[in-house]
Amino acid sequence: ARRKLTPSNSPANRYKAKMNFELSLAMIAQMLFLFFNPVFTKDDRIFGDDYRFWSFGTKLPTYPVQCLVDVAVSCIWDKGKDCIEITTPQKQCEGGGILSFTYIGGDCSQSTTQSGSCEDFDTHISEIIEIACFTDDSNLSFFGEVSVGDLITVPESGTLSGVLTCDIFSSGKKKQTVYLDGDLYLKDIYGGLQIENCNDDDNDNNCLIPVEYAYTIKNIGESLMDVTSLERTIFIRRIINNITQEGEATSNLIELVKNNSLEVGENTIVTESGFIDVCAQGEYNTSVVVKGNSNVGIPCDALGKYEARTTAEDRHIDVLISCRDERGASCGELTAPALQCSERNDIDFVTFTYLGGGCYQSSNTHNQDCEDFNNGPSGTRVSRITCSGDSDIIFDKLVDVGELITVPSY
């Protein structure tokens, strides 16, 4: 009997199946050969030594190792706290100990205090000057060369209630003498000297607080990284005695980086000292830019910032008010006089306050007549007042509301 040919057992399909089977055997043989005889080095493997996967005919693409760096900025003051926790000190100096000044240059006209005194001998002063300070017993407590902006410290200046005398010399000639006497306050200016510190043990009376900035650099990439640059910029703005001072400084601190080569996950810290003026309203902005290179030459960089602001309390205001009468007696000793005036013949003059306005506001014990004409005088404008006695004019003057007028007797 004949077999009925179907699509699955036709000669053509049987031939295709045979060819596919032989091709599959050939591919399996080739794969086994490549598996046990790799034609690529282990560096071409995707997953390392434990997994043998290769591309057939075309090498797989390789990807560059990433270079990533991070930098963090912190600010710590000498009590171990973050700089944002610094508080404004008490402004009045108490007790004895040291005094610190900033030499700001200038003459005596810029003094801001009534205590002590200042005397100029010559306003032409060179950039570098010499300062000599003496205590009230004439002992030399400080001598040195300074420039504008330098901080000088007078040790063992004695009790702050005593007198401290500082002479400023330029080119060998005395240019200025300041006398610090009486109550002293932080930020007071005596000629070319401004008080910054008046204590010897702690910072409770210190305007310029020493701080330490720390820059932490960390390799967060995938390979060894070399730190190539650490650029720091500090911007300071202060308002002192209603005068705004601004300054900016940029430096490359790469020489302070002790460990330039960082493994993956490793960090290094760079520190530098500075100060924050807590007696003046201001802002202190510190930023750093770190740059690095991976071990295959790929560069990377990062930016870190720290911002601190100070809001100083109002400075003290020295106000001395005294009140005395024309005889020199204290106002506190004044007594109220008798409200009734003397007999008419004993009166030499009468003094009035001109109130302005009409007769409706009259108030007296004699019920004397008062008559308004043309709606009466103004209560706000200048008026002309004429007084007469026995037909003689004894007073005639333009008078403003609130002004005292004195009418003599007649």
Side-chain angles (χ1 to χ4, degrees), residues 160-182:
L160 297 180
S161 59
V163 178
L164 181 69
T165 303
C166 292
D167 294 324
I168 298 176
F169 298 88
S170 178
S171 302
K173 297 181 179 180
K174 183 186 289 189
K175 301 294 183 177
Q176 188 180 95
T177 296
V178 296
Y179 304 92
L180 285 78
D181 190 10

Side-chain angles (χ1 to χ4, degrees), residues 323-335:
C323 176
R324 298 185 181 277
D325 67 3
E326 59 185 6
R327 297 168 299 174
S330 173
C331 294
E333 302 174 4
L334 299 177
T335 57

Side-chain angles (χ1 to χ4, degrees), residues 68-71 216-221 225 262 265-268:
L68 293 174
V69 63
D70 183 50
V71 60
T216 303
I217 306 168
K218 185 176 183 179
N219 180 3
I220 58 174
M225 183 196 71
L262 300 179
E266 186 180 8
N267 64 49
T268 185

Side-chain angles (χ1 to χ4, degrees), residues 32-49:
L32 291 174
F33 176 82
L34 290 174
F35 184 82
F36 292 104
N37 299 279
V39 295
F40 300 106
T41 64
K42 68 176 182 178
D43 292 333
D44 296 315
R45 300 170 191 172
I46 302 175
F47 300 105
D49 292 333

Side-chain angles (χ1 to χ4, degrees), residues 211-274:
V211 299
E212 182 179 82
Y213 292 100
Y215 315 123
T216 303
I217 306 168
K218 185 176 183 179
N219 180 3
I220 58 174
E222 300 174 343
S223 68
L224 181 71
M225 183 196 71
D226 292 330
V227 181
T228 59
S229 176
L230 179 63
E231 188 176 83
R232 183 266 299 134
T233 299
I234 293 182
F235 172 79
I236 298 177
R237 176 188 287 119
R238 295 184 295 172
I239 302 176
I240 301 177
N241 298 322
N242 297 321
I243 298 176
T244 300
Q245 303 174 353
E246 290 186 359
E248 184 176 277
T250 300
S251 298
N252 198 324
L253 309 180
I254 188 62
E255 295 182 357
L256 300 180
V257 182
K258 297 180 180 179
N259 182 15
N260 290 75
S261 296
L262 300 179
E263 297 287 347
V264 175
E266 186 180 8
N267 64 49
T268 185
I269 299 176
V270 175
T271 62
E272 66 171 341
S273 58

